[in-house]
Amino acid sequence: MDDNRFAELLGNAAISVWGDMPRDIQEALFETAMRGHDDLRHQFARLLHDRHPRTEHPPRPA
């Protein structure tokens, strides 16, 4: 089995338990995954919110 297959398995697992993760862990994973993929940010955020609506957080105070 190659590294890409393990990454796929881990990614699928993370998506399936996303709503159970603390916000700081969600943000760290999301930001790490999106590094260098700004064009996919909105699409990936939408996928996560569609699967786990309770992860929709209010905006952080400025």
Side-chain angles (χ1 to χ4, degrees):
M1 201 173 266
D2 63 47
D3 289 352
N4 289 331
R5 182 66 180 137
F6 287 125
E8 180 184 354
L9 291 169
L10 184 58
N12 288 334
I15 288 171
S16 72
V17 298
W18 189 262
D20 298 326
M21 292 182 196
R23 182 178 179 167
D24 60 327
I25 300 299
Q26 289 176 344
E27 290 175 357
L29 284 171
F30 183 85
E31 292 302 328
T32 301
M34 292 294 96
R35 196 173 300 139
H37 301 284
D38 288 341
D39 57 320
L40 298 175
R41 288 181 75 83
H42 180 74
Q43 184 178 352
F44 189 40
R46 178 59 33 216
L47 176 139
L48 293 169
H49 289 304
D50 287 349
R51 290 186 185 204
H52 303 284
R54 65 186 172 274
T55 63
E56 291 182 9
H57 302 288
R60 286 185 171 218

